[in-house]
Amino acid sequence: MTGSRRAGMSEQPGAEMVTVGRIAGLYGVRGWVKVYSYTEPRENILTYSPWYLRRDGRWQAHPLAGGRRQGKGVTAHLDGFDDRDAAAALVGVEVAVRRDQLPAPPADEYYWSDLIDLEVVALDGRSLGRVDHLLETGANDVLVVDDSGRERLIPYVRGVVVRRVDLAGGRIEVDWDPEWDNETGQARDR
């Protein structure tokens, strides 16, 4: 998997928005902000402009005036936010880009946003639910699958657990026991 982590829809007709980070805090007194980036590597978020920020219930475009990697994080400056007080209004706001701003992923790789809402099916054909979101754990990414209120955590390990991703068909085929209980680490009694 590659790139951004989450997806949302824009109020702009036909423009799909992909969330690539969020404003995490302030940096200095000249309107710079700390950014928690969902892109890999983190500083890739700085290659997109404009950024779309969800404010007042809708996405608003803001050109990126500058940015840089800062330690393990990223800092950025958006046009029109030239002091600490103005930038403070952005803390906690999600950062998105239009889907057409993203490069096509390499063959057999997917943006996380591509996997959201796909049906997850076990090898025996049983539905395990739909992908609600994904988690980054360090060891491997994890599909968080919602099965009518029951949450399943399924490791995203290509070729071992995840056998096939069919975007056109809206399905992910997995080698996973439908009775597996993430809390106990055992199969449930049948």
Side-chain angles (χ1 to χ4, degrees), residues 126 150 152 176-190:
R126 285 191 275 178
R150 177 182 176 198
R152 298 177 197 268
W176 194 255
D177 183 349
E179 300 303 321
W180 184 259
D181 187 326
N182 290 108
E183 291 181 24
T184 65
Q186 302 175 31
R188 295 176 187 228
D189 292 333
R190 295 178 188 195

Side-chain angles (χ1 to χ4, degrees), residues 104-132:
D108 291 330
E109 286 194 28
Y110 310 95
Y111 287 109
W112 280 20
S113 59
D114 295 337
L115 305 178
I116 302 299
D117 205 36
L118 294 185
E119 181 181 19
V120 179
V121 180
L123 293 177
D124 65 5
R126 285 191 275 178
S127 177
L128 302 177
R130 295 197 167 274
V131 177
D132 182 67

Side-chain angles (χ1 to χ4, degrees), residues 59-173:
W59 293 109
Q60 299 172 359
H62 295 278
L64 186 62
R68 63 181 173 264
R69 180 146 190 153
Q70 187 71 34
K72 293 183 179 181
V74 175
T75 59
H77 182 239
L78 296 167
D79 277 348
F81 296 90
D82 297 324
D83 63 49
R84 187 175 181 88
D85 292 336
L90 302 178
V91 175
V93 172
E94 288 189 319
V95 176
V97 297
R98 289 184 328 273
R99 175 63 187 227
D100 62 11
Q101 287 178 271
L102 298 173
D108 291 330
E109 286 194 28
Y110 310 95
Y111 287 109
W112 280 20
S113 59
D114 295 337
L115 305 178
I116 302 299
D117 205 36
L118 294 185
E119 181 181 19
V120 179
V121 180
L123 293 177
D124 65 5
R126 285 191 275 178
S127 177
L128 302 177
R130 295 197 167 274
V131 177
D132 182 67
H133 62 282
L134 290 98
L135 297 173
E136 185 176 13
T137 65
N140 52 262
D141 298 327
V142 175
L143 297 167
V144 179
V145 178
D146 179 26
D147 183 16
S148 301
R150 177 182 176 198
E151 187 176 87
R152 298 177 197 268
L153 303 177
I154 301 175
Y156 191 95
V157 181
R158 297 275 317 234
V160 177
V161 177
V162 175
R163 295 298 180 91
R164 183 169 176 251
V165 175
D166 179 5
L167 293 180
R171 292 170 50 125
I172 300 174
E173 188 175 288

